[in-house]
Amino acid sequence: MANFILRKAEPKDVSDILRLIKELAKFEEMEEQVVLTEKELLEDGFGDHPFYHCVVAEVSKDKQSIEGYTVVGFAMYYFTYDPWIGKLLYLEDFYVMKEFRGYGIGSEILKMLSETAVKTRCSGMHFIVAEWNTTSIEFYKRRGASDLSHEEGWRLYEIDKCNLLKMSSRR
Amino acid sequence: MAHFNLRKAEPKDVPDILRLIKELAKYEEMEDQVILTEKDLLEDGFGNHPFYHCVVADVSREHQKVEGYSVIGFAMYYFTYDPWIGKLLYLEDFYVMKEYRGFGIGSEILKTLSDTAVKNRCSSMHFIVAESNKASIDFYKRRGASDLSLQEGWRLFRIDKKNLLKMSAEE
């Protein structure tokens, strides 16, 4: 089966996007951590100022999944800025439903994102990968990805809401 | 000396922003890696769709310690998107000139950014720190920052322009 199309997500895709976000979170054993709602995805992705962009993979009705879904994969990305080189494409989420893997959908999505990055004059694509996710690491390394955490020693930090509020209310 | 002013960067600040970006890169021994120009910074930060935002710290003429410079610190940030929780504020660059440290400018900048994050309904602030940079790590940890690379095992990856072009040209 090679009959799929890739297209820019539309407002109508929001419930499928949320479904796939949750499926990917489940794979990472973090499903209950998804607090985002369809309403937020709609406002944040399809309002005046989109905070993210999505590409979805869709199959025809006759090839739909067991549960009846035709949107079978997605990638969520946005643009970031490196003060040394400028614009970058940041790949945030990337997932293809298990039963639709092995058909090149993932490769095609990454190819499309590469084109988007080049067209918008980005210097590169960044993304994070869990260190235990060897399958994904290999998928990316085959396409020339390098581990900046390893090469350059960068560690990702977070100041959560509670500590932000603490700081913003300090005298 | 506590006479400094924090404000949103304006187009006229672009030369100072580039100067400070280069100073920070120099501190990381990477000054020759800064290929961004004032023209890029102007288009990318002050056009129809800003790819980054900046807060600058400036001092009045009589308080200048370094001849000719009134803009003596900055923070560059943008908004990113977490598919589980929504908007985040991403702190990309953060630097105060050496002669102006110890006066609370860095703290005030971080406080301003915290206000911005909360006002924009961001769930948290993310940033990367070089694992060798103990002084910065302590500065952030004192404000409640946690090392997600340590806690969650995330590694930052990059696919550079050369490999993006390779992928986008593949059949």
Side-chain angles (χ1 to χ4, degrees):
Chain A
M1 182 221 76
N3 300 89
F4 63 90
I5 58 143
L6 294 188
R7 57 174 176 78
K8 273 180 77 164
E10 293 160 44
K12 63 169 181 164
D13 296 314
V14 148
S15 55
D16 281 299
I17 294 170
L18 187 57
R19 171 179 57 85
L20 294 170
I21 286 172
K22 287 179 171 172
E23 269 190 47
L24 176 51
K26 195 170 182 181
F27 165 69
E28 293 169 9
E29 288 163 17
M30 300 283 221
E31 202 188 357
E32 29 8 301
Q33 304 256 19
V34 182
V35 299
L36 205 57
T37 62
E38 284 184 23
K39 180 172 180 283
E40 283 161 340
L41 274 172
L42 196 65
E43 279 173 18
D44 298 339
F46 300 94
D48 288 323
H49 177 93
F51 285 88
Y52 71 86
H53 304 275
C54 257
V55 150
V56 294
E58 188 170 38
V59 298
S60 52
K61 245 195 170 70
D62 53 304
K63 296 273 187 287
Q64 65 193 249
S65 75
I66 292 167
E67 305 94 338
Y69 298 124
T70 54
V71 172
V72 301
F74 85 116
M76 176 186 273
Y77 66 95
Y78 41 82
F79 297 96
T80 59
Y81 205 75
D82 181 312
W84 298 355
I85 49 178
K87 287 183 289 189
L88 296 173
L89 189 146
Y90 190 87
L91 175 56
E92 176 60 60
D93 247 15
F94 180 16
Y95 178 78
V96 174
M97 287 169 71
K98 200 165 181 201
E99 56 197 288
F100 292 90
R101 290 182 208 155
Y103 299 109
I105 296 179
S107 292
E108 277 306 304
I109 290 178
L110 211 56
K111 181 177 191 287
M112 183 176 257
L113 294 177
S114 305
E115 286 166 1
T116 303
V118 171
K119 229 177 289 181
T120 49
R121 288 175 298 115
C122 292
S123 306
M125 185 190 300
H126 280 196
F127 47 93
I128 55 176
V129 191
E131 57 198 4
W132 50 260
N133 195 345
T134 32
T135 320
S136 292
I137 290 174
E138 277 159 30
F139 174 90
Y140 292 122
K141 283 192 161 172
R142 280 198 296 273
R143 287 152 180 79
S146 44
D147 182 343
L148 293 186
S149 286
H150 180 79
E151 282 172 27
E152 300 180 5
W154 295 112
R155 304 184 75 78
L156 177 64
Y157 274 71
E158 172 186 60
I159 298 181
D160 63 22
K161 187 73 168 273
C162 155
N163 284 289
L164 289 179
L165 284 163
K166 240 188 192 172
M167 260 197 290
S168 72
S169 62
R170 254 200 288 167
R171 277 290 106 215
Chain B
M1 183 221 74
H3 302 277
F4 63 91
N5 173 48
L6 293 188
R7 56 176 177 78
K8 273 181 78 164
E10 294 160 44
K12 63 170 181 160
D13 296 315
V14 153
D16 282 300
I17 294 171
L18 186 57
R19 170 178 59 85
L20 295 171
I21 285 172
K22 288 178 170 172
E23 269 190 45
L24 176 52
K26 195 171 181 180
Y27 164 72
E28 292 169 9
E29 288 163 15
M30 299 282 222
E31 201 188 358
D32 44 297
Q33 305 253 19
V34 182
I35 56 174
L36 208 57
T37 62
E38 283 179 17
K39 181 171 179 283
D40 294 326
L41 276 172
L42 196 65
E43 279 174 18
D44 297 340
F46 300 94
N48 286 337
H49 178 93
F51 285 88
Y52 71 86
H53 305 276
C54 258
V55 151
V56 295
D58 73 19
V59 295
S60 54
R61 210 180 212 105
E62 62 264 32
H63 290 110
Q64 281 175 26
K65 286 174 190 279
V66 183
E67 184 61 44
Y69 296 132
S70 60
V71 172
I72 52 77
F74 86 116
M76 175 187 274
Y77 67 95
Y78 41 82
F79 296 97
T80 60
Y81 205 76
D82 181 314
W84 298 355
I85 48 180
K87 288 184 286 189
L88 297 176
L89 189 145
Y90 190 87
L91 175 56
E92 177 60 58
D93 248 14
F94 180 16
Y95 178 76
V96 174
M97 286 171 71
K98 199 162 182 208
E99 300 84 352
Y100 294 90
R101 290 184 209 152
F103 299 112
I105 297 177
S107 293
E108 277 306 304
I109 289 178
L110 212 55
K111 182 179 190 291
T112 296
L113 294 176
S114 304
D115 291 338
T116 302
V118 171
K119 230 176 284 181
N120 281 276
R121 288 175 297 114
C122 294
S123 306
S124 54
M125 184 189 301
H126 278 196
F127 47 92
I128 55 176
V129 191
E131 56 198 3
S132 58
N133 194 343
K134 301 280 181 293
S136 293
I137 289 174
D138 288 338
F139 173 89
Y140 292 122
K141 282 192 160 171
R142 278 198 298 274
R143 288 154 180 80
S146 44
D147 182 343
L148 293 186
S149 287
L150 184 63
Q151 284 172 204
E152 300 181 4
W154 295 112
R155 303 185 74 79
L156 177 63
F157 274 71
R158 168 188 58 200
I159 298 180
D160 63 21
K161 185 78 170 270
K162 181 182 96 175
N163 284 289
L164 290 179
L165 284 163
K166 228 189 195 179
M167 262 197 288
S168 72
E170 265 171 35
E171 261 326 290

